[in-house]
Amino acid sequence: MEKIQIVHTNDLHSHFENFPRIKRFIEQSRKDSTADEFYLFDIGDAMDRAHPLSEATNGQKNIEWMNQLHYDAVTIGNNEGLGNSHEHLEHLYDRANFPVILNNVFEKNPSRLADFAQASKIIETKKGTKIGVIGLTAPYILTYPLLDWDIRLVQEMLPKSLELVKDCDIIILLSHLGVSMDRLIASKRPEIDVIIGAHTHHLFPKGEMDNGVLLAAAGKYGQNIGTINLELDDKKKVIDKSAFTTKTDTLPTLSEDKTWIKSQFDLGEKLLDQKKIANLPESLSADYQAPNSIINEALSAVQEFADTDVAVLSSGLFLSDLPKGIVTQKNLHDILPHAIHVMKTTMTGDNVWRLVMEMEKNRLYLRNHVQKGMGFRGKIFGELVYRGITIDNKRNVYINGQELEKNKEYTLALLDHYLFVPYFPSIEIAGNNEILYPKFLRSVFGDYLRKKYPI
């Protein structure tokens, strides 16, 4: 008989407020485990640039924290894969003391698996059991190529990954693919013993058994920590497997936790505040109706950056005012923490009309709509504000004062966020969309302010 215990984290998203309790739980679990072997895995989106320390250090402080816990393997999520430039991702794990298991993100020239990754890992226990670990991340085929990565689909790479570990006694998939894909894989690949899932922030408090495959997942933000127990017979065959999660807020806190959590935030803000951007002659208001509103300047910034006829932004993007005087990266991160990019959309006038009608139809709903995900790190979607678009009471649309021509092509500065949310289908259906990677919206805005209001 052999017992194996696995603890796993996923979708931590730089929620440092939970890190002290997670760290103690993992250390205590390792110490108290009565299993023959103990392993620790992370399933991606450990970092998120919404936290100032992750932004200021390009995720290196996240890696430092993970190094203390001695993970046996991790895979990446879209926040690592798409929230970093190509160069930053290449070097994110330079100082990591754990391997990145990932087999669907490739370099283009020459074609090869990403240098920071390895396709699989085979762990041999003290009793000679071979555990094959493979990893895949969500294949965003529209966006990874914009960062010069060759992203491969699951149906292509999963069979190749399984071939690498076919002689193992246990197969574990680190899956940053989402719950629907995990269930589909389980239905077709019963040779996989365990799929540890992430990406869709799903939580399986007691695991889920699909077609004999154990699915495990620990939700989001470090609010839960996952544990998996495997039992093997003398022939190295898995005879029992189970999973459960532990709520982090049920774990004890120490008096020094708050100090540590605050110090991580303060250090990030201090590092960002050292990087000066511009010198504003007057404060800019987060109120979209104010004459000196941030959104008016931001509309100019995105329109100039994308070189378009018109621009559209939503007021919920801007979380606070931008004060008069020296503007730093801290200020820009405070008001625009989102993982959102500028997008140039080209479409004919008849489709511009339809898009504007979609925006007008949804305007009242979106004004106070609580928006989550898709790169957005604010609270509400807010008011849609146009630059160069007007509408009369007969629903005629004008572009820079000229009546819309239905067969003429127009260019619009939008955000990739508007492509991903479900409110404006014409963008995806009729738009020729060019997402302008790698800069986030705050960097585009910062470059504009630097040029217009030099220090």
Side-chain angles (χ1 to χ4, degrees):
M1 300 288 287
E2 183 178 17
K3 293 184 178 180
I4 295 169
Q5 188 168 70
I6 297 165
V7 169
H8 57 96
T9 54
N10 64 273
D11 295 287
L12 295 174
H13 284 277
S14 293
H15 276 257
F16 281 79
E17 70 274 14
N18 288 323
F19 284 12
R21 285 181 290 183
I22 293 172
K23 182 174 184 287
R24 288 194 296 272
F25 177 87
I26 291 170
E27 291 172 340
Q28 196 64 42
S29 295
R30 184 180 276 122
K31 180 181 177 182
D32 293 345
S33 178
T34 58
D36 298 290
E37 304 286 348
F38 180 96
Y39 302 110
L40 176 63
F41 300 127
D42 182 80
I43 323 299
D45 277 359
M47 72 165 286
D48 191 316
R49 287 180 178 271
H51 194 285
L53 190 57
S54 298
E55 171 80 348
T57 66
N58 292 316
Q60 288 304 311
K61 286 295 183 181
N62 299 72
I63 302 302
E64 284 184 20
W65 180 81
M66 295 176 78
N67 279 344
Q68 298 175 53
L69 294 174
H70 304 284
Y71 279 81
D72 292 281
V74 310
T75 196
I76 74 165
N78 44 289
N79 269 269
E80 288 90 9
L82 299 173
N84 291 291
S85 69
H86 189 105
E87 181 181 6
H88 284 150
L89 180 55
E90 278 187 328
H91 296 291
L92 177 62
Y93 299 99
D94 283 356
R95 297 190 178 102
N97 61 11
F98 49 82
V100 178
I101 310 302
L102 177 67
N103 200 25
N104 66 326
V105 176
F106 281 68
E107 298 278 1
K108 289 184 176 180
N109 295 307
S111 180
R112 65 189 188 278
L113 185 65
D115 294 334
F116 64 85
Q118 62 185 66
S120 64
K121 179 180 180 179
I122 296 177
I123 302 170
E124 187 166 346
T125 71
K126 290 186 286 290
K127 292 190 175 183
T129 300
K130 290 184 178 180
I131 304 171
V133 183
I134 56 177
L136 296 169
T137 196
Y140 284 92
I141 58 175
L142 294 178
T143 46
Y144 271 101
L146 300 176
L147 288 165
D148 207 30
W149 293 111
D150 175 15
I151 186 73
R152 307 283 177 88
L153 297 177
V154 176
Q155 54 263 43
E156 176 190 358
M157 298 313 300
L158 179 59
K160 294 179 179 180
S161 296
L162 289 171
E163 184 67 20
L164 297 173
V165 294
K166 65 180 180 179
D167 296 326
C168 292
D169 303 297
I170 301 171
I171 297 175
I172 297 172
L173 170 61
L174 310 183
S175 166
H176 199 91
L177 300 173
V179 63
S180 296
M181 182 57 73
D182 290 352
R183 286 171 172 155
L184 179 62
I185 291 171
S187 71
K188 295 179 179 297
R189 293 290 185 174
E191 67 266 37
I192 299 174
D193 292 281
V194 182
I195 299 176
I196 313 178
H199 184 48
T200 44
H201 297 179
H202 53 291
L203 174 67
F204 291 145
K206 295 183 179 180
E208 177 178 292
M209 196 69 74
D210 289 8
N211 194 28
V213 180
L214 176 63
L215 273 59
K220 62 180 182 179
Y221 306 159
Q223 295 170 353
N224 296 271
I225 311 160
T227 303
I228 298 165
N229 290 307
L230 305 177
E231 188 171 335
L232 291 77
D233 63 18
D234 293 335
K235 296 181 180 179
K236 299 181 174 55
K237 179 179 175 59
V238 177
I239 56 173
D240 188 53
K241 46 189 171 183
S242 61
F244 65 91
T245 57
T246 301
K247 290 185 176 182
T248 307
D249 64 10
T250 65
L251 302 173
T253 58
L254 299 182
S255 58
E256 60 264 30
D257 286 355
K258 285 187 178 180
T259 302
W260 183 88
I261 294 164
K262 184 176 185 300
S263 72
Q264 307 309 294
F265 189 87
D266 290 348
L267 176 58
E269 295 229 307
K270 179 182 177 181
L271 293 172
L272 291 175
D273 209 33
Q274 292 171 354
K275 301 175 182 179
K276 296 177 172 55
I277 302 294
N279 188 3
L280 289 183
E282 62 177 346
S283 297
L284 298 177
S285 174
D287 180 359
Y288 74 95
Q289 295 177 309
N292 59 328
S293 67
I294 300 176
I295 201 169
N296 279 332
E297 293 279 19
L299 283 163
S300 297
V302 299
Q303 186 174 5
E304 180 181 295
F305 179 69
D307 188 22
T308 58
D309 300 314
V310 299
V312 182
L313 290 174
S314 42
S315 63
L317 292 161
F318 306 95
L319 305 190
S320 61
D321 297 344
L322 202 54
K324 175 182 177 180
I326 298 297
V327 175
T328 69
Q329 282 192 11
K330 173 188 176 300
N331 299 126
L332 294 179
H333 188 266
D334 286 345
I335 69 166
L336 290 167
H338 323 288
I340 288 175
H341 304 83
V342 177
M343 181 175 71
K344 182 175 184 176
T345 294
T346 304
M347 56 173 59
T348 55
D350 53 347
N351 289 311
V352 173
W353 182 87
R354 185 179 294 108
L355 172 61
V356 172
M357 292 305 109
E358 289 167 357
M359 290 181 169
E360 290 304 305
K361 175 183 180 297
N362 289 306
R363 178 179 292 279
L364 292 179
Y365 170 75
L366 293 173
R367 183 174 291 163
N368 296 301
H369 172 62
V370 177
Q371 179 63 45
K372 295 181 179 180
M374 307 297 180
F376 186 73
R377 302 291 187 260
K379 295 181 179 178
I380 63 169
F381 188 92
E383 192 75 33
L384 285 160
V385 181
Y386 302 136
R387 168 67 55 80
I389 299 174
T390 52
I391 311 157
D392 66 19
N393 57 11
K394 296 181 180 180
R395 300 205 302 175
N396 294 310
V397 174
Y398 300 84
I399 301 296
N400 294 317
Q402 301 295 313
E403 188 167 358
L404 194 71
E405 298 179 37
K406 69 176 184 177
N407 294 318
K408 180 180 177 180
E409 280 198 337
Y410 296 91
T411 54
L412 303 87
L414 304 172
L415 302 176
D416 60 353
H417 180 65
Y418 303 156
L419 173 64
F420 302 141
V421 295
Y423 315 122
F424 317 119
S426 288
I427 296 174
E428 182 174 5
I429 294 168
N432 179 8
N433 304 306
E434 180 186 1
I435 304 174
L436 303 178
Y437 270 76
K439 292 182 178 179
F440 284 142
L441 174 60
R442 58 179 170 272
S443 296
V444 171
F445 189 39
D447 290 345
Y448 173 84
L449 294 178
R450 182 184 286 110
K451 180 179 175 182
K452 185 174 181 179
Y453 304 109
I455 296 174

